[in-house]
Amino acid sequence: MKKKMLIAAATLALAVVVTACGGGNDTESAPANTQASNGAVTETGAAAQELVITATDWAFDQKEYRIQKGQPVTLILENDKGTHGIQISNTSYNNITEGKPQTITINDAGTYEIKCNIPCGNGHIRMVSKLIVE
């Protein structure tokens, strides 16, 4: 008898989990955001855009990145080689590090300098890129 009750309880619990996870959403989900190969970010949904910046010793993967003014962007730093951090000139965003994505919003169009804020060797001073806010 206890075994039957246990099986019935487990079946009921499974039904609740399946129903909660898979049902009840009649709206179409928003498409994902994409990042072009040139570093430009295109918003195709309502969620925050993502901008991935990859750093190696003394260089970022792109000379420039583009975002839309007033739009939240989740900035993700990935270090391929060495230890690096990011600061964006003329903003309060001065400590973006690997493993700690940060959502940023820049309301003024213009060109901002992205530079490494962790001394990373002889080429550190030249480790810069541009963030173009349109």
Side-chain angles (χ1 to χ4, degrees):
M1 181 73 167
K2 287 184 181 181
K3 188 175 182 180
K4 286 183 181 181
M5 288 180 62
L6 183 59
I7 291 172
T11 303
L12 180 60
L14 180 61
V16 169
V17 169
V18 169
T19 302
C21 291
N25 187 0
D26 293 334
T27 61
E28 188 174 322
S29 62
N33 297 318
T34 59
Q35 180 175 351
S37 61
N38 66 356
V41 176
T42 305
E43 183 177 347
T44 57
Q49 303 170 25
E50 282 189 355
L51 174 61
V52 178
I53 297 177
T54 303
T56 61
D57 279 343
W58 314 305
F60 295 110
D61 63 325
Q62 302 288 327
K63 296 266 186 217
E64 63 183 43
Y65 305 89
R66 294 178 184 270
I67 63 172
Q68 297 299 308
K69 74 176 184 173
Q71 296 294 315
V73 175
T74 301
L75 194 104
I76 301 168
L77 175 64
E78 295 180 351
N79 290 330
D80 268 357
K81 188 174 181 185
T83 302
H84 308 283
I86 290 177
Q87 69 183 55
I88 302 171
S89 66
N90 302 317
T91 72
S92 61
Y93 306 114
N94 57 15
N95 194 24
I96 300 168
T97 57
E98 183 175 43
K100 296 182 181 178
Q102 186 171 347
T103 300
I104 67 170
T105 303
I106 300 177
N107 293 316
D108 297 320
T111 300
Y112 298 80
E113 185 178 68
I114 297 172
K115 59 184 178 178
C116 180
N117 63 352
I118 298 174
C120 56
N122 292 335
H124 171 73
I125 194 84
R126 294 182 308 275
M127 192 169 174
V128 296
S129 191
K130 292 180 184 177
L131 178 64
I132 300 172
V133 180
E134 303 175 311

